[in-house]
């Protein structure tokens, strides 16, 4: 079997959805499980509705719900589904979705309470609504599609908003729900992004989490392939929004893809390749608008590229914390205390540099930052630098090739650099700069490493 995940941009309107049906049909012999995210912009619109309701602006919230969410799906049904009775049935189903969401917004507006648990439930409608429509569309394409509820398949912990799967329970549930259907030639259609905890309460895997859903399902079902269908030709040498001439990378290792996703390449959720690594399942990134292109293949062993740098990514919204204390000098246990505080505040640290009496750490900006800083003050003097960004250069051969760092920093001689980490992972070179210098830095570096390469086997 294979897993085929379609992202929001692949399913933004009726034409895109019809295209997806054709792509699924082309893979039918490989027993696909289809994983779908919400139509592009719908998750953001759902969050907006919930926030408006929590501010007591119920009328505005309902207007967003109607204009940005419900009407859009009605249009999709009208344009995509030909059978009149099937259309009617879908419209009836959407009336229920609409009523449920309005009741939820009403509840949120009365209590003013928008907990992560409630928000997860609200967000789950994006994926749940679209899978209903796609299932019907696949049936009209003569496929035996069946709508599944991912909350009965993906079992997670209870960290609402960023839940982690519980693999043994997920494996058992997926085997029970999916295998018998696949054996009968049925195409299961599942929601990405959502799951449920052991009590059956709806959870989500974090923004962009449908990629992760696909990888989890692929891994527990021992898939031959995990296909991530999106709106670009594959993993590119840089974000195409900054570098329109970015090249497609034909093959990359799990390690490279994982570093790039972690450091901001939005095309993959950062956790996507982790479960696939364990069972060595290849992950393909493919373009649903140009399915004939072979995309990017991510696997354990890849052909050696002649050029050391594979791709450049960046992550905005970073803060740097500097902690200086003479108590650090010659003492042990200091670092542990510091990291325990980050742990308590569930704040992940990306980069760390130390001197004898100070430590600098980069973290993603969080609403909890002030409280975190307050705690850290007990251990020394703290300064915070906000509006920073991490730039990350990735390639399996980065360490083997000399002079990469020299090329990077001489090319960026006009861009002030705050922190540098090289060698912690042998395949990346990472540093921090001001957020507003990101486009300039990425363009310069792309030009430095990719302006005149010709390795058709690796880049295209
Ligand atoms: P989907 O809705 O399919 O999940 P996303 O918007 O989450 O799509 O991810 C695809 C987008 O990621 C692309 O449209 C592109 O703008 C962005 N992106 C950022 N960095 C890269 C990169 N290195 N390679 C490819 N795409 C990238
Ligand atoms: N719809 C979800 C989001 O917007 C999940 C995803 O797109 O992968 O975050
Ligand atoms: Mg995505």
């Amino acid at each position: 079997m294979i897993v085929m995940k379609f992202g929001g941009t692949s399913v933004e309107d009726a034409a895109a959805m019809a295209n997806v049906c054709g792509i699924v049909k082309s893979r039918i012999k490989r027993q696909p499980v289809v994983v779908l995210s919400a139509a592009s912009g719908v998750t953001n619109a759902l969050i907006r509705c919930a926030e408006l309701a929590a501010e007591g602006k119920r009328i505005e919230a309902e207007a967003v719900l109607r204009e940005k969410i419900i009407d859009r799906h009605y249009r999709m049904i009208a344009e995509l589904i030909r059978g009149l009775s099937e259309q009617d049935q879908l419209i009836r189903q959407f009336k229920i979705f609409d009523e449920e969401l309005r009741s939820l917004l009403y509840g949120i507006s009365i209590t003013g309470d928008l907990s992560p648990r409630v928000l997860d439930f609200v967000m789950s409608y994006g994926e749940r609504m679209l899978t209903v429509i796609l299932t019907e569309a696949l049936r009209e394409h003569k496929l035996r599609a069946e709508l599944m509820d991912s909350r009965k398949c993906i079992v997670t912990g209870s960290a609402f908003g960023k839940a982690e799967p519980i693999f043994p329970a997920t494996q058992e549930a997926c085997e029970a729900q999916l295998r018998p259907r696949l054996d009968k030639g049925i195409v299961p259609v599942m929601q990405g992004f959502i799951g449920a905890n052991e009590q059956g309460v709806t959870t989500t895997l974090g923004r962009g989490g449908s990629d992760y859903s696909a990888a989890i399902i692929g891994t527990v079902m021992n898939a031959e392939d995990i296909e991530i269908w999106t709106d670009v030709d594959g993993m590119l040498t840089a974000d195409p929004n900054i570098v329109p001439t970015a090249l497609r990378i034909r093959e990359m290792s799990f390690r490279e893809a994982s570093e790039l996703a972690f450091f901001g390449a939005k095309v993959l959720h950062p956790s996507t390749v982790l479960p696939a690594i364990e069972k060595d399942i290849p992950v393909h990134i493919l373009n649903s608008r140009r399915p004939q292109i072979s995309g990017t293949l991510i696997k354990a062993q890849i052909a050696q590229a002649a050029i050391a740098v594979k791709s450049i990514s960046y992550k905005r919204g970073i803060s740097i914390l500097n902690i200086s204390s003479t108590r650090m000098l010659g003492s042990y246990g200091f670092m542990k205390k510091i990291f325990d505080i980050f742990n308590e505040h569930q704040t992940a640290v990306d980069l760390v540099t130390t001197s004898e009496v100070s430590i600098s750490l980069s973290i993603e900006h969080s609403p909890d930052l002030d409280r975190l800083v307050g705690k850290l003050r007990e251990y020394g003097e703290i300064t915070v630098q906000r509006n920073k960004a991490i730039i990350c250069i990735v390639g399996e051969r980065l360490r083997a090739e000399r002079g990469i760092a020299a090329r990077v920093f001489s090319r960026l001689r006009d861009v002030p650099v705050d922190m540098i980490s090289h060698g912690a992972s042998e395949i990346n070179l990472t540093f921090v700069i001001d957020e507003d210098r990101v486009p300039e830095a990425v363009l310069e570096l792309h030009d430095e490493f990719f302006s005149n390469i010709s390795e058709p086997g690796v880049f295209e």
Side-chain angles (χ1 to χ4, degrees):
M1 56 87 63
I2 62 168
V3 178
M4 305 178 77
K5 176 260 169 175
F6 294 91
T9 45
S10 302
V11 285
E12 63 190 344
D13 55 24
M17 294 270 276
N19 183 39
V20 163
C21 294
I23 295 173
V24 173
K25 206 165 182 179
S26 73
R27 301 284 204 269
I28 195 64
K29 290 220 174 73
R30 302 189 68 194
Q31 294 193 303
V33 169
V34 174
V35 176
L36 199 62
S37 43
S40 64
V42 165
T43 308
N44 284 345
L46 284 164
I47 296 171
R48 183 84 197 112
C49 288
E51 286 173 349
L52 283 168
E55 289 164 23
K57 299 175 182 156
R58 187 161 65 91
I59 306 295
E60 283 103 315
E62 287 192 355
V64 174
L65 174 63
R66 172 137 300 279
E67 284 160 28
K68 302 265 189 261
I69 301 169
I70 300 294
D71 283 354
R72 188 160 159 207
H73 287 91
Y74 279 140
R75 270 200 301 281
M76 232 184 241
I77 294 168
E79 287 168 21
L80 186 66
I81 306 297
R82 292 201 198 90
L84 290 182
S85 71
E86 285 77 9
Q87 263 196 21
D88 277 351
Q89 211 185 326
L90 282 175
I91 288 167
R92 272 200 298 279
Q93 173 65 60
F94 269 76
K95 289 216 164 97
I96 298 172
F97 283 140
D98 188 18
E99 271 166 32
E100 287 175 358
L101 275 165
R102 278 191 290 133
S103 307
L104 266 166
L105 294 177
Y106 180 67
I108 295 169
S109 73
I110 294 285
T111 57
D113 179 22
L114 183 56
S115 64
R117 174 177 168 155
V118 171
L119 186 61
D120 271 2
F121 189 61
V122 172
M123 287 195 289
S124 75
Y125 278 83
E127 272 67 16
R128 284 158 57 209
M129 290 193 292
L130 200 64
T131 42
V132 172
I133 303 180
L134 184 76
T135 307
E136 195 50 57
L138 287 168
R139 287 193 187 135
E140 290 202 344
H141 278 74
K142 307 270 176 288
L143 294 173
R144 288 180 66 202
E146 191 174 319
L147 178 66
M148 309 297 300
D149 187 338
S150 291
R151 295 170 297 180
K152 296 203 164 72
C153 302
I154 309 279
V155 185
T156 73
S158 298
F160 296 102
K162 49 175 180 216
E164 279 297 329
I166 300 170
F167 277 96
T170 300
Q171 173 144 27
E172 200 181 311
C174 283
E175 275 293 340
Q177 296 281 335
L178 301 175
R179 193 71 70 190
R181 291 178 165 91
L182 290 171
D183 289 344
K184 283 190 213 143
I186 290 169
V187 179
V189 179
M190 303 182 62
Q191 304 79 29
F193 184 47
I194 69 170
N197 68 11
E198 283 167 312
Q199 289 71 46
V201 180
T202 304
T203 55
T204 66
L205 306 177
R207 293 305 306 275
S210 299
D211 304 332
Y212 193 21
S213 305
I216 295 165
I217 296 160
T219 303
V220 299
M221 295 293 288
N222 291 311
E224 288 157 36
D225 239 315
I226 297 164
E227 296 185 342
I228 307 289
W229 290 85
T230 183
D231 66 339
V232 282
D233 285 348
M235 182 72 89
L236 307 177
T237 47
D239 180 352
N241 297 303
I242 292 187
V243 185
T245 55
L247 305 165
R248 169 168 67 104
I249 305 162
R250 293 175 58 144
E251 268 192 10
M252 61 195 324
S253 67
F254 284 131
R255 293 202 303 173
E256 289 172 330
S258 172
E259 296 276 353
L260 285 170
F262 184 76
F263 287 111
K266 188 186 164 216
V267 66
L268 272 190
H269 179 279
S271 305
T272 309
V273 294
L274 300 180
I277 293 175
E278 197 191 318
K279 291 198 176 157
D280 199 3
I281 301 172
V283 177
H284 273 95
I285 305 178
L286 296 152
N287 189 345
S288 59
R289 294 168 188 175
R290 310 208 298 163
Q292 71 284 4
I293 293 183
S294 65
T296 297
L297 170 58
I298 305 168
K299 56 183 186 168
Q301 298 296 333
I302 52 162
Q304 280 284 356
I307 156 165
V309 176
K310 274 283 180 61
S311 187
I312 302 158
S313 64
Y314 64 92
K315 188 154 88 173
R316 288 197 168 99
I318 299 292
S319 299
I320 299 180
L321 301 184
N322 301 293
I323 307 162
S324 52
S325 166
T326 43
R327 273 191 276 162
M328 254 173 103
L329 204 65
S331 76
Y332 51 85
F334 188 84
M335 292 284 191
K336 179 178 181 303
K337 286 183 198 139
I338 299 282
F339 278 98
D340 281 348
I341 295 175
F342 283 94
N343 197 22
E344 262 168 49
H345 288 259
Q346 298 195 346
T347 303
V349 174
D350 289 333
L351 265 60
V352 184
T353 55
T354 61
S355 77
E356 270 173 320
V357 288
S358 69
I359 167 167
S360 299
L361 309 108
S362 80
I363 58 168
E364 277 179 48
H365 188 75
S366 90
D368 206 23
L369 187 59
D370 290 338
R371 289 205 308 135
L372 176 76
V373 169
K375 274 272 183 62
L376 290 170
R377 287 230 154 84
E378 292 169 23
Y379 295 91
E381 252 175 60
I382 315 286
T383 56
V384 183
Q385 296 166 270
R386 292 169 207 258
N387 303 325
K388 299 286 175 185
I390 289 179
I391 305 273
C392 177
I393 293 170
V394 171
E396 281 284 353
R397 290 194 46 247
L398 217 58
R399 276 288 279 289
E401 184 138 326
R402 295 217 188 126
I404 297 285
R407 280 174 73 186
V408 168
F409 295 113
S410 64
R411 186 74 195 223
L412 298 184
R413 69 177 74 80
D414 298 329
V415 180
V417 174
D418 292 294
M419 288 173 74
I420 301 174
S421 160
H422 189 21
S425 144
E426 54 186 21
I427 66 162
N428 83 22
L429 164 61
T430 312
F431 53 94
V432 178
I433 61 171
D434 285 343
E435 207 170 47
D436 56 8
R437 307 297 289 268
V438 165
E440 172 192 351
V442 173
L443 277 164
E444 288 288 343
L445 291 174
H446 197 269
D447 188 62
E448 175 69 31
F449 291 105
F450 299 103
S451 62
N452 48 25
I453 59 158
S454 113
E455 266 205 85
V458 184
F459 303 104
E460 226 166 73

